[in-house]
Amino acid sequence: MAIKNQASGGVSRQVLADHVYEALLVALMDGRLEAGTPVSIDGMARELDVSPTPVREALARLEATGMVRRMALRGYRVAPLFSPEELADLMDARLVIEPANAFMACRNADPELAKQLEQAIEDLKAAPRGPSFAEFRAYWEADERFHRLIAEFADNQFLLSAYNALGGQVQRFRFFGGLGVTDADYAIAEHTEILKAFESGDAELARQKMIDHIEGVKQRSQHDSEVRS
Amino acid sequence: MAIKNQASGGVSRQVLADHVYEALLVALMDGRLEAGTPVSIDGMARELDVSPTPVREALARLEATGMVRRMALRGYRVAPLFSPEELADLMDARLVIEPANAFMACRNADPELAKQLEQAIEDLKAAPRGPSFAEFRAYWEADERFHRLIAEFADNQFLLSAYNALGGQVQRFRFFGGLGVTDADYAIAEHTEILKAFESGDAELARQKMIDHIEGVKQRSQHDSEVRS
DNA sequence: AAATCGCATTTCCTATAGGATCTACGCTGC
DNA sequence: GCAGCGTAGATCCTATAGGAAATGCGATTT
């Protein structure tokens, strides 16, 4: 066996398919697997030095996230990048779900949440913003963490599923490639506004500040799309 | 090979894993697989007369829908039924997503949509309402179709993904079991109200009527929960 | 020159086998 | 009686092999 089953001691051990899944996720996010390229099951198995069976299982899971697409008897391909129109649609969808998350999370808020949100903002400030994956990975991670914290504190498993289904945090990540983080200062300011709303306990305000934030992201991403094209 | 690869001629052929997936879906919905029961990979393979490999792949996909849960090295189990609290959460999540769908769909509405919505309502009226799967399947199908039509006409793939992620249409289905359809008359009236809003072209009204409908479903489902317990 | 056919290679898909792990049950010892 | 241990069976997980389909390429035909 190539990858040692490092019985990760914890509550839930990992099997080979889990490692393959994470390896694919990293490869997708850092651009080694570009949009549109086929992902051969056998080929990936050779590359990772495992058998095709766990690769097949990992890809079946990945398909649900939208990162790869499958055509029967023709294999998997990396999902295409988003067009500016699709990116706008993604932001519209976020505008539906995330303000509601913010509203509900604010009603469940406690000092612990505020502390963690503040930490996420601090990490955002400290993160590098370069164009390569290695550079903006930390930035993306802190951004994602901020939004996910709110989604989790909304305390509604279905809204959390919906948030996950957007996959936007991951997909958008791929969009950064080659351009780097361009809106960090705006994002930090808007996150801070959201945090202040949480600290004030005004759920309606938290909702509004989240709307403002995502509207801002939407506009700036549209601008980036034009620059890119 | 047990199940013939009946090269379904169409645009996208089906492989064995697809058949297994659908077989599991039907078994889950009609109650043959009850909540909490383990789903053995090898056992299911024997039952369907296939090898474990496609069963494994089908279960990996099913896990993303929330219908089954997986624990590493311990297999899959049918996800537990919802508690009344979880059901309320589901309705809250629907209240976030579906009114937005209705609003957007109304702005894209055309006579074809109205016609299909009307057909779904007619089918709802005609469907039997008994307690067994065979009886209320047609009812559920028409109900699901109504809501899905709206979600699709919203013309936003991400909102559609979020709607799918709720899995509510499927999960709620399982909840009907043993109780049958109890709120058909209310649901038909509310669906008709939504249709009228679509026909009037008033997107804001469509949003409100969808809110009213899901609020109604939420209240009635809570009542059913109490009856059941 | 363009399109078509046929062959070889690659890849997907499924079955099978065996090692690793978990669960159940009976046994021993206290 | 009850806790701890060990064995047996079932189950999961991974690897391997082979058939089926798809892709690529070159030869042939129109």
Side-chain angles (χ1 to χ4, degrees):
Chain A
M1 211 184 310
I3 298 180
K4 204 144 160 226
N5 204 343
Q6 51 192 15
S8 68
V11 288
S12 170
R13 292 190 294 177
Q14 289 207 340
V15 292
L16 214 44
D18 296 329
H19 289 281
V20 174
Y21 182 89
E22 293 184 15
L24 283 170
L25 210 57
V26 173
L28 282 164
M29 290 199 299
D30 73 1
R32 265 176 300 166
L33 288 176
E34 288 183 20
T37 57
V39 182
S40 160
I41 295 174
D42 292 348
M44 192 56 60
R46 283 192 298 271
E47 191 168 327
L48 298 177
D49 199 12
V50 298
S51 79
T53 311
V55 175
R56 179 174 291 278
E57 188 172 333
L59 282 170
R61 289 187 221 162
L62 264 179
E63 191 192 2
T65 71
M67 307 269 300
V68 299
R69 297 195 199 291
R70 162 181 171 273
M71 288 175 63
L73 299 179
R74 292 181 55 178
Y76 292 86
R77 309 175 135 301
V78 180
L81 278 181
F82 291 150
S83 67
E85 292 76 21
E86 288 172 314
L87 211 59
D89 282 351
L90 171 59
M91 295 307 157
D92 288 340
R94 290 183 68 189
L95 275 170
V96 170
I97 293 172
E98 297 208 45
N101 282 346
F103 182 85
M104 293 191 189
C106 192
R107 303 183 62 175
N108 299 330
D110 59 17
E112 181 60 26
L113 173 59
K115 188 178 154 196
Q116 293 190 43
L117 289 178
E118 191 175 355
Q119 182 62 51
I121 294 176
E122 290 303 317
D123 293 345
L124 212 55
K125 289 178 185 170
R129 303 171 188 181
S132 80
F133 170 78
E135 288 167 306
F136 64 72
R137 172 175 198 157
Y139 180 91
W140 173 80
E141 193 277 326
D143 188 18
E144 152 75 8
R145 178 150 41 89
F146 184 88
H147 287 275
R148 179 165 299 279
L149 272 171
I150 292 172
E152 286 171 353
F153 262 77
D155 194 30
N156 184 316
Q157 58 168 308
F158 303 100
L159 279 177
L160 185 58
S161 295
Y163 173 80
N164 286 330
L166 289 190
Q169 304 301 334
V170 179
Q171 292 280 7
R172 193 165 60 86
F173 189 110
R174 290 165 53 204
F175 199 82
F176 282 156
L179 204 59
V181 180
T182 59
D183 68 343
D185 294 329
Y186 292 107
I188 290 168
E190 289 161 1
H191 281 203
T192 305
E193 284 293 309
I194 295 170
L195 172 58
K196 283 201 289 191
F198 269 86
E199 288 172 336
S200 77
D202 185 341
E204 193 53 57
L205 184 64
R207 185 210 300 274
Q208 188 57 51
K209 290 301 182 186
M210 181 62 85
I211 292 175
D212 293 344
H213 172 45
I214 299 179
E215 288 281 9
V217 173
K218 180 179 176 182
Q219 287 182 8
R220 296 190 293 271
S221 72
Q222 291 302 100
H223 179 262
D224 283 358
S225 298
E226 290 163 15
V227 170
R228 169 184 287 259
S229 62
Chain B
M1 208 186 314
I3 297 181
K4 203 131 165 246
N5 204 341
Q6 52 192 14
S8 67
V11 287
S12 170
R13 293 190 292 180
Q14 290 206 338
V15 292
L16 215 45
D18 296 330
H19 288 283
V20 174
Y21 182 89
E22 292 184 15
L24 283 170
L25 209 57
V26 173
L28 283 163
M29 290 200 299
D30 73 1
R32 265 176 300 167
L33 287 177
E34 288 182 20
T37 57
V39 181
S40 159
I41 294 174
D42 292 348
M44 191 56 61
R46 283 192 298 273
E47 191 169 327
L48 298 177
D49 198 13
V50 297
S51 81
T53 310
V55 174
R56 178 174 292 277
E57 188 171 332
L59 282 170
R61 289 188 221 163
L62 264 178
E63 191 193 2
T65 71
M67 306 270 300
V68 299
R69 297 197 201 292
R70 162 179 171 273
M71 287 174 63
L73 299 178
R74 292 181 54 177
Y76 292 87
R77 310 178 75 79
V78 180
L81 278 182
F82 291 149
S83 70
E85 291 76 19
E86 288 171 313
L87 212 57
D89 283 350
L90 171 59
M91 294 307 157
D92 288 340
R94 290 184 67 190
L95 275 169
V96 171
I97 293 171
E98 297 208 42
N101 282 344
F103 182 85
M104 294 192 189
C106 193
R107 301 182 65 175
N108 299 330
D110 60 18
E112 182 61 25
L113 173 60
K115 188 177 155 194
Q116 293 189 43
L117 289 177
E118 189 174 357
Q119 182 61 51
I121 294 176
E122 289 304 316
D123 293 345
L124 212 56
K125 289 178 184 170
R129 305 171 186 180
S132 81
F133 169 76
E135 289 168 306
F136 64 73
R137 173 176 198 158
Y139 180 91
W140 172 79
E141 192 276 327
D143 189 15
E144 152 75 7
R145 177 149 42 90
F146 184 88
H147 287 274
R148 179 164 297 280
L149 273 169
I150 293 172
E152 287 171 353
F153 262 78
D155 195 30
N156 183 318
Q157 59 168 310
F158 302 101
L159 279 176
L160 186 57
S161 295
Y163 173 80
N164 287 331
L166 290 189
Q169 304 301 333
V170 179
Q171 294 281 9
R172 194 165 59 88
F173 190 111
R174 290 165 57 204
F175 199 81
F176 281 157
L179 203 60
V181 181
T182 58
D183 69 343
D185 294 330
Y186 293 106
I188 289 169
E190 290 161 0
H191 280 202
T192 305
E193 285 292 310
I194 294 170
L195 172 59
K196 283 201 289 191
F198 269 85
E199 288 172 334
S200 78
D202 186 341
E204 193 52 57
L205 183 64
R207 183 210 302 275
Q208 188 57 52
K209 290 301 181 186
M210 180 62 85
I211 292 174
D212 293 345
H213 172 46
I214 299 178
E215 288 281 9
V217 173
K218 179 179 177 181
Q219 289 183 7
R220 296 191 293 271
S221 72
Q222 290 302 98
H223 179 262
D224 284 358
S225 298
E226 290 164 13
V227 170
R228 170 183 287 260
S229 65

